Amino acid sequence: MPAYSTNMRLKFPILALVLEIITIILFGVFVVYDDGKGHGHDADHHDNNTHKAEPMDLYPMFQDIHVMIFIGFGFLMTFLKRYGFSSVGMNLLLAAFGLQWGLLMQGLWHLDHGKIKVDIFKIINADFSTATVLISFGAVLGKTSPVQLLIMTILEITIFSINEHVVVNILGANDVGASMIIHAYGAYFGLAVARVLYRPGLRNGHDNEGSVYHSDLFAMIGTVFLWMFWPSFNSAIADPGFTQLTAVINTYLSLAACVMSAYAVSSLVEHKGKLDMVHIQNATLAGGVAVGTCADMNIGPFGAMLIGFIAGIISTLGFKYLTPVLASNLGIQDTCGVHNLHGLPGVLGGLSGIVAVALGKKEGSVSHMGSAAMQAIALASSLGFALVGGAVTGLILKLPVWSQPPDQNCFDDALYWEVPAEEEEHEESLAHNKAEV
Amino acid sequence: MPAYSTNMRLKFPILALVLEIITIILFGVFVVYDDGKGHGHDADHHDNNTHKAEPMDLYPMFQDIHVMIFIGFGFLMTFLKRYGFSSVGMNLLLAAFGLQWGLLMQGLWHLDHGKIKVDIFKIINADFSTATVLISFGAVLGKTSPVQLLIMTILEITIFSINEHVVVNILGANDVGASMIIHAYGAYFGLAVARVLYRPGLRNGHDNEGSVYHSDLFAMIGTVFLWMFWPSFNSAIADPGFTQLTAVINTYLSLAACVMSAYAVSSLVEHKGKLDMVHIQNATLAGGVAVGTCADMNIGPFGAMLIGFIAGIISTLGFKYLTPVLASNLGIQDTCGVHNLHGLPGVLGGLSGIVAVALGKKEGSVSHMGSAAMQAIALASSLGFALVGGAVTGLILKLPVWSQPPDQNCFDDALYWEVPAEEEEHEESLAHNKAEV
Amino acid sequence: MPAYSTNMRLKFPILALVLEIITIILFGVFVVYDDGKGHGHDADHHDNNTHKAEPMDLYPMFQDIHVMIFIGFGFLMTFLKRYGFSSVGMNLLLAAFGLQWGLLMQGLWHLDHGKIKVDIFKIINADFSTATVLISFGAVLGKTSPVQLLIMTILEITIFSINEHVVVNILGANDVGASMIIHAYGAYFGLAVARVLYRPGLRNGHDNEGSVYHSDLFAMIGTVFLWMFWPSFNSAIADPGFTQLTAVINTYLSLAACVMSAYAVSSLVEHKGKLDMVHIQNATLAGGVAVGTCADMNIGPFGAMLIGFIAGIISTLGFKYLTPVLASNLGIQDTCGVHNLHGLPGVLGGLSGIVAVALGKKEGSVSHMGSAAMQAIALASSLGFALVGGAVTGLILKLPVWSQPPDQNCFDDALYWEVPAEEEEHEESLAHNKAEV
């Protein structure tokens, strides 16, 4: 691949400016402030109880989720030694654009007199929609250009909003913490893209695909913020009051149990019983993903902890044994191991939801088996949209016009970012010295 | 400048202790807890509507702003390779003293039976007052001693509280997100100080005035926390309810649009279309500054995004083309480029406010053109107090008794901090030991 | 000590898995969601006023405290150059297990029809209980294995819950911000453990027991988050409304005054008046600890600032002069100096509480001198349980079967973690090249 093809000049700025101008125009046509009058379709989500909602009630939860999206996902991916600028920087770009696009796409299904009325509930959902892209970003991290990533954002959020509509409004399935429609969807979408963009040249790994001591600490900032605020993620759109409290407690306890099993299994499978940072950074979060679908159900603190405990085990084992197999045998190069953090635990969450609904743990549900069937269809729908949508997106991204990086420049910020000169000089002197040897 | 003059011993501790003791005495005389009885002048800011305020209602927003002040500003300035201790450490010192001083200075204009009654609203405003100092600190970063900075804090907050009184209480101007009274004021105050303290010896730059890879990542912690919580900054003192919601949504959308234009223009003006960390760390925030004055007005989501979009462009272009000219032609050495993040976008915010008020976007405003004129006078007042106040402050700081750093020790923590010796020695000793083997 | 004894394989995973399975079973037997019906013993803490509590009212404060526990304590301890993985990683493990254990231990004293009903108030207290362990962890940081730390967690939280019951329910003492029952208790417990585990081999220090430039910056993330959210820590379980507001304001102001005195004294006692990062990272927080016991009392803003001011001085002097003496003369090797951050300020807080209660600053207290006596007994109880409990725990941890690190591997992540290979190789290549030159 010739060097000039990675040059973003013109391609990236023009795409970003045109997208933003179109978005602003669409906002001018469709989007107004919520004025508290005449709620539309989503009123039944959060208004049908005795609690009189104030416009700002959900704001603290929104800010927790905002932190998860921008600090959590952004820093979680800084573990690579030479790709921190892209991780936190592209995360900011994709999420900032994605929330605008998500607000439009989700809003189009819920028009109120032809308008999208923005309130805190809607911007929470807009933030949620970006999470799918950030999960998929983890699968293709280091192997895609900013231009490709912007295109993926548009496509993935558009398809997400269709699947969300199917799952929530048509099937009437429960997925309060979005194990299926965000985590499983985002993971399998990203894996499908990664499969289509398979790079044989990276089959034997890459010098830059590893961490250094401090990059692993930066990543822990992301991990811990995700871990702490996950109860907000899983409860923000739950019914207010005791149902929301249940979602908080289930998530809090599931995550705590998950930490214990993730640490235990990490030590069990590693050399000399040592702990592995990759597991700690990721598998400790699997409990939040897996308890998502049934977070607001009456599964009991015991049930929530069991789900988290199992998720921690599955996720750690996935990192250790499954990821290498996917890469070598199926051509799926999953940089951050999103399959283990979002994919498997997301499916576990979907399955738990089916069981919980079948057992009547969801309050107000009439026909248990009918509802359980809807849950199963919702899971299948999420996986189907993800795999087909991801594959189509991958084919589009494969067109050789999006400034994608050549193999040797993968996982390297220097291709798309001005990198401080000290570093390079340092490396040059290293290179120089080695050359002399 | 002889070496001993930078020795802070006695000067700094005595100044800090005396200032704190005086402050504690003043608190003993003037400050009491709010007990909910008999609100004073600021009641009309937040109490005159149907919403019955509880004492802790604003607390979550206060904490968001607290994070912006102490993590946001503190880490944003850690981008310099050898000045991280001072950035985050001096930020903590100046803000911790500044909030006490600000509470006194602002409170003196709103005495209630001779007392300042502290509530969440007042400590939010105290935090706000420190933001002006932290912005100015960015302009003189690396070139001033802790002693100088403490003196600047006293003077800048005192003058700020006068201008705030003029703008809010006398002119009755609107500046809910403080584009004018904090951002423009803080930036031009700092630039005036920097002009007076001009150092010809730094005309050709300084070895330490640059970043390393990980210092740029630390700075991104600051950027992202500022970016996320800016909706709280712009809405905290808005009227509760739907007006506050409007301020949140306008800021959220302005910032999202600003990210897109800042990235696009950064890539457009840089070598080979690469992104520049300086732009990403700063210009992505310009949308929050610029939408401040009219955040609580009915400018429409479309209008907010347009303001953010333009702010991102102006700010990035300022970093690229204006900062070098200010330094070389006008003798204004603006270390962090606060002119581009706070100065220009602050003025843009003030101008947007004039237009928005003239167009009748501010609810409850009677005479549109009269109000617009007050907005214009408020902007002029903020700039005037900033430039004159900053110049006078600069002259005082120029007195050769404040342990200011000599040119060669600028941008270096080692002058005022114990710095770990290990880094370089460590490598050398490693090299040495191995060589012996 | 032979190398194999540090191998955690089997010991650690089995302990962690067994503990978690037992915990899940106990949760299955005892723990249910709060459904708002029939509050038990702790109702008088937060329900007996006109304020009608919603289930989620305390949630934003809970999240602030959650951040202090997981980010605050975790990153504060990353200051060591080679022990960041353990600091933030073990912090996560111990707190995640500790909150489950704490919820059980504290809940057993407040059973409601044989069940522990979980609400936000209870998970705040569960988080609190882990703080004691994290403080003690600071004293033994770098010198203990994960196995030892898990055992310490069980014992320390169990004993904590007994002392808490004595102090709060039997003595009826006031300790809203837990200066005595968390800070003093955690510190002296940890110091007692450290004394029993005294290592003569570390008498002359250790190569790894120091910071590098960026590890000190990581630690400041912890410091600043602790500093900012401390008002939530001290006010979360205060009576809602104006009492809670008082606790917030007292803590906010105490911390601000403490920063000033800590910086001043740091500069006063250091070489050439420089600031020392150890003081800034720790002593700036002493004001939050010391104002804890009387945070919700009517001590006046002036009184709160005075407490903070004194705490900052005592804490800084403790780091400078007391810690070396404790290590050399008493055999107490206190890695993080928790005696200066939690021990001394905690005792100061307890003493302040005695004085404040004697002066009738606690609203609703009937007999001032009787209440003051109860406060004094509460302080003595906390210190007694800490010293005896810590000594016994130390003796158990001393058994040579818990994979404790040999002296030469102290303060080194590589013993229990997979550490990225690049660092060392990198340095080796540097060394190699230099040797050749």
Side-chain angles (χ1 to χ4, degrees), chain C residues 83-106:
Chain C
Y83 213 62
F85 290 9
S86 299
S87 296
V88 72
M90 280 300 119
N91 189 85
L92 174 59
L93 177 71
L94 302 184
F97 174 63
L99 64 88
Q100 300 173 63
W101 194 251
L103 213 129
L104 284 173
M105 290 301 111
Q106 295 181 307

Coordinates of all heavy atoms in Angstrom, one line a residue, chain C residues 83-106:
Chain C
Y83 N 5.0 -0.4 41.6 CA 3.9 -1.1 42.4 C 2.5 -0.6 42.0 O 1.6 -0.7 42.8 CB 4.2 -0.9 43.9 CG 3.8 -2.1 44.7 CD1 4.3 -3.4 44.5 CD2 2.8 -2.0 45.7 CE1 3.9 -4.5 45.2 CE2 2.4 -3.1 46.4 CZ 2.9 -4.4 46.1 OH 2.5 -5.5 46.9
G84 N 2.4 0.0 40.9 CA 1.1 0.6 40.5 C 0.1 -0.5 40.2 O -1.1 -0.3 40.5
F85 N 0.5 -1.6 39.6 CA -0.5 -2.6 39.3 C -1.1 -3.1 40.6 O -2.4 -3.3 40.7 CB 0.1 -3.8 38.5 CG 0.5 -3.5 37.1 CD1 0.5 -2.3 36.6 CD2 1.0 -4.6 36.3 CE1 0.9 -2.0 35.3 CE2 1.4 -4.4 35.0 CZ 1.3 -3.1 34.5
S86 N -0.3 -3.4 41.5 CA -0.8 -3.9 42.8 C -1.6 -2.9 43.5 O -2.6 -3.2 44.1 CB 0.4 -4.3 43.7 OG 1.2 -5.3 43.1
S87 N -1.2 -1.6 43.5 CA -1.9 -0.6 44.2 C -3.3 -0.5 43.7 O -4.3 -0.6 44.5 CB -1.2 0.8 44.0 OG 0.1 0.7 44.6
V88 N -3.5 -0.2 42.4 CA -4.8 0.0 41.9 C -5.6 -1.4 41.8 O -6.8 -1.5 42.0 CB -4.8 0.8 40.6 CG1 -4.3 0.0 39.5 CG2 -6.2 1.4 40.3
G89 N -4.8 -2.4 41.5 CA -5.4 -3.7 41.3 C -5.9 -4.4 42.6 O -7.0 -4.9 42.7
M90 N -5.0 -4.4 43.6 CA -5.3 -5.0 44.9 C -6.4 -4.2 45.5 O -7.3 -4.7 46.2 CB -4.1 -5.1 45.8 CG -3.2 -6.3 45.5 SD -4.2 -7.9 45.6 CE -4.0 -8.5 44.0
N91 N -6.3 -2.8 45.4 CA -7.4 -2.0 45.9 C -8.8 -2.4 45.4 O -9.7 -2.5 46.1 CB -7.1 -0.5 45.5 CG -7.9 0.5 46.1 OD1 -7.7 0.9 47.2 ND2 -9.0 0.9 45.5
L92 N -8.8 -2.7 44.1 CA -10.1 -3.1 43.5 C -10.5 -4.4 44.1 O -11.7 -4.6 44.4 CB -9.9 -3.2 41.9 CG -11.1 -3.8 41.1 CD1 -12.3 -3.0 41.3 CD2 -10.7 -3.8 39.6
L93 N -9.6 -5.4 44.2 CA -10.0 -6.7 44.7 C -10.4 -6.6 46.1 O -11.5 -7.1 46.5 CB -8.7 -7.6 44.6 CG -9.0 -9.0 45.2 CD1 -9.9 -9.8 44.3 CD2 -7.7 -9.7 45.4
L94 N -9.7 -5.9 47.0 CA -10.0 -5.9 48.4 C -11.3 -5.1 48.6 O -12.1 -5.5 49.5 CB -8.9 -5.2 49.2 CG -7.5 -5.9 49.1 CD1 -6.5 -5.2 50.0 CD2 -7.6 -7.4 49.4
A95 N -11.5 -4.0 47.9 CA -12.7 -3.3 48.1 C -14.0 -4.0 47.5 O -15.0 -4.0 48.1 CB -12.6 -1.9 47.4
A96 N -13.8 -4.7 46.4 CA -14.9 -5.5 45.8 C -15.3 -6.6 46.8 O -16.5 -6.9 46.9 CB -14.5 -6.0 44.4
F97 N -14.3 -7.3 47.3 CA -14.7 -8.3 48.3 C -15.2 -7.7 49.6 O -16.2 -8.1 50.2 CB -13.5 -9.3 48.6 CG -13.9 -10.3 49.7 CD1 -14.9 -11.2 49.5 CD2 -13.2 -10.2 50.9 CE1 -15.2 -12.1 50.5 CE2 -13.5 -11.1 51.9 CZ -14.5 -12.0 51.7
G98 N -14.5 -6.7 50.0 CA -14.8 -6.0 51.3 C -16.2 -5.5 51.4 O -16.9 -5.6 52.4
L99 N -16.7 -4.9 50.3 CA -18.1 -4.4 50.3 C -19.1 -5.5 50.5 O -20.1 -5.3 51.2 CB -18.3 -3.5 49.1 CG -18.4 -4.1 47.7 CD1 -19.8 -4.6 47.4 CD2 -18.0 -3.0 46.7
Q100 N -18.8 -6.6 50.0 CA -19.8 -7.8 50.2 C -19.7 -8.2 51.6 O -20.8 -8.4 52.3 CB -19.4 -8.9 49.2 CG -19.5 -8.6 47.7 CD -18.9 -9.7 46.9 OE1 -19.5 -10.8 46.9 NE2 -17.8 -9.5 46.2
W101 N -18.5 -8.3 52.1 CA -18.3 -8.8 53.5 C -18.9 -7.8 54.5 O -19.5 -8.1 55.5 CB -16.9 -9.1 53.7 CG -16.6 -9.9 55.0 CD1 -16.1 -9.5 56.1 CD2 -17.0 -11.3 55.2 NE1 -16.1 -10.5 57.0 CE2 -16.6 -11.6 56.5 CE3 -17.6 -12.3 54.4 CZ2 -16.8 -12.9 57.0 CZ3 -17.8 -13.5 54.9 CH2 -17.4 -13.9 56.2
G102 N -18.6 -6.5 54.2 CA -19.1 -5.5 55.1 C -20.6 -5.4 55.1 O -21.2 -5.2 56.2
L103 N -21.2 -5.6 53.9 CA -22.7 -5.6 53.9 C -23.3 -6.7 54.8 O -24.3 -6.5 55.5 CB -23.1 -5.8 52.5 CG -24.4 -5.1 52.1 CD1 -24.2 -4.3 50.8 CD2 -25.5 -6.0 51.8
L104 N -22.6 -7.8 54.8 CA -23.1 -8.9 55.7 C -22.8 -8.6 57.2 O -23.7 -8.7 58.0 CB -22.3 -10.2 55.3 CG -22.8 -10.9 54.1 CD1 -21.8 -12.1 53.8 CD2 -24.2 -11.5 54.2
M105 N -21.6 -8.2 57.5 CA -21.2 -8.0 58.9 C -22.0 -6.9 59.5 O -22.5 -7.0 60.6 CB -19.7 -7.7 58.9 CG -18.8 -8.8 58.6 SD -19.1 -10.2 59.8 CE -19.8 -11.4 58.6
Q106 N -22.1 -5.7 58.8 CA -22.9 -4.6 59.3 C -24.4 -5.0 59.4 O -25.1 -4.6 60.3 CB -22.7 -3.4 58.5 CG -21.3 -2.8 58.5 CD -21.1 -1.6 57.6 OE1 -21.5 -1.6 56.4 NE2 -20.6 -0.6 58.2

